[in-house]
Amino acid sequence: MDVKLAQCFLAVDDHDKAIAFYRDVLGMEIRNDVGFEGMRWVTVGSPLQPDVEIVLEPPDASPDASPSDKQALNELLAKGLLRGVIFTTPDCDALYERVRESGADVLQEPMDQPYGVRDCAFRDPAGNQLRFIERPAS
């Protein structure tokens, strides 16, 4: 079976702040930025992975969510409790400095983990946890 990841979703409460972070700080490309039925659809991705995109969408984007569910999702995003993503990088320390200098919320400075990677973690402007791992050279 030939199955690959195409898109993953991150909730954001301000597309312009999210675009500035993912494009200007992390160096991602803006792949799509369109409006549809009162909602904004933005996708970003690494130039190194042209077939993988991150969809930046409002936390209450699901048309099937009840008003109370939408409110709960917005509250979870505000608390930074929604899940994030993990990226790889060849130089965790250099990436850490670049992201830290942008003013992003630092969750963890670079450190060697017992499971064999060096990693660091931040929150994006919406509060999503982003982890950056450097795999050992081998």
Side-chain angles (χ1 to χ4, degrees), residues 51-62:
D51 56 346
V52 178
E53 297 178 325
I54 299 171
V55 180
L56 305 174
E57 68 174 3
D60 58 358
S62 174

Side-chain angles (χ1 to χ4, degrees), residues 23-99:
R23 180 192 60 209
D24 302 339
V25 177
L26 296 183
M28 298 204 171
E29 303 169 327
I30 306 304
R31 305 263 175 85
N32 237 337
D33 187 350
V34 296
F36 179 71
E37 295 184 1
M39 189 172 69
R40 190 171 177 189
W41 179 273
V42 177
T43 57
V44 298
S46 168
L48 302 173
Q49 291 180 297
D51 56 346
V52 178
E53 297 178 325
I54 299 171
V55 180
L56 305 174
E57 68 174 3
D60 58 358
S62 174
D64 299 322
S66 70
S68 62
D69 288 342
K70 290 181 178 189
Q71 180 181 346
L73 286 168
N74 279 299
E75 290 171 0
L76 289 170
L77 178 63
K79 292 177 183 178
L81 295 176
L82 297 181
R83 302 302 298 173
V85 294
I86 299 174
F87 297 95
T88 62
T89 180
D91 188 340
C92 182
D93 294 275
L95 183 131
Y96 171 81
E97 286 304 321
R98 178 184 173 111
V99 178

